[in-house]
Amino acid sequence: YFIMQNFFMCSVASLINEGKVVAFVKGNRNVNRKNICSKKRTLKDYHGNMTPLLYVDGIKAITDGCTLCHPENVNKVIPNSEAEKCIVILDGQHRYLAALESKLDLNNLIVYKDYTGASTKELLSVTNTDSFSWNGGDMVKGASLFSPENEVAQFASKLVDKGYSHSTIGYILCFA
């Protein structure tokens, strides 16, 4: 472990050994297969990740209004009652899935716990746009995450999940 002024970095394996389970936030950007393949090459070439993955505790994520889901099946929701045993990857979901698919030793997959105190949704928004610009579908998913009560945003998000492009979704929603 590396701890310095509220900065906590360790391996995914060490957290799993402590009984933690990895989760994602339902509504985060969709996983991109091409991105996973690219990450697999990097993980293999360097025997681990060059940039640590960012996570928060599950309780923080649900307190901040997020729903947790299983990394390998984002449609499978993790009940809030199980949030205490979860770490929630906010930045690095592609690297995490690439590591699993590559059978990387999870001792070589390094994560760090958020030290900013920002809300989970804000962290998702900032890290996703800083690391890789969002496309139209990602914007739709973000709108549904920030507006869970908005039926139009939720419907548009379901269309993204079914593979519709953001331009087609615009036509569907606007009848044009």
Side-chain angles (χ1 to χ4, degrees):
Y1 296 101
F2 173 71
I3 302 173
M4 184 176 98
Q5 294 180 329
N6 295 329
F7 184 72
F8 178 72
M9 194 160 47
C10 63
S11 72
V12 170
S14 67
L15 292 169
I16 290 171
N17 290 339
E18 292 175 10
K20 296 295 184 180
V21 175
V22 174
F24 288 173
V25 170
K26 186 162 182 62
N28 192 2
R29 75 165 80 186
N30 288 340
V31 173
N32 178 299
R33 293 298 320 157
K34 185 177 176 183
N35 195 350
I36 289 175
C37 289
S38 171
K39 304 296 185 217
K40 283 181 180 181
R41 282 191 305 277
T42 305
L43 291 170
K44 180 182 176 197
D45 289 349
Y46 297 98
H47 310 287
N49 54 317
M50 296 181 75
T51 305
L53 286 61
L54 169 65
Y55 79 94
V56 296
D57 291 323
I59 294 293
K60 176 177 177 31
I62 64 165
T63 300
D64 290 342
C66 297
T67 300
L68 307 184
C69 63
H70 288 271
E72 296 177 84
N73 181 356
V74 295
N75 293 318
K76 189 174 179 187
V77 171
I78 297 172
N80 287 353
S81 61
E82 296 179 21
E84 187 174 324
K85 66 180 181 181
C86 293
I87 64 152
V88 184
I89 294 176
L90 302 181
D91 181 43
Q93 63 184 18
H94 289 90
R95 285 172 278 160
Y96 176 73
L97 291 173
L100 291 183
E101 290 180 16
S102 300
K103 300 191 183 343
L104 178 76
D105 178 353
L106 296 182
N107 285 299
N108 296 336
L109 190 63
I110 306 303
V111 295
Y112 71 99
K113 187 174 182 178
D114 172 61
Y115 54 88
T116 67
S119 79
T120 303
K121 290 180 181 181
E122 184 178 355
L123 288 167
L124 273 174
S125 175
V126 171
T127 60
N128 279 330
T129 56
D130 278 354
S131 61
F132 187 78
S133 297
W134 283 17
N135 64 30
D138 296 331
M139 295 292 185
V140 169
K141 298 293 284 187
S144 72
L145 176 65
F146 277 88
S147 302
E149 72 291 341
N150 185 311
E151 292 178 21
V152 174
Q154 298 309 310
F155 177 69
S157 179
K158 288 179 183 173
L159 292 175
V160 169
D161 289 341
K162 291 181 178 185
Y164 288 89
S165 70
H166 68 280
S167 58
T168 301
I169 293 169
Y171 286 121
I172 292 168
L173 294 177
C174 298
F175 304 106

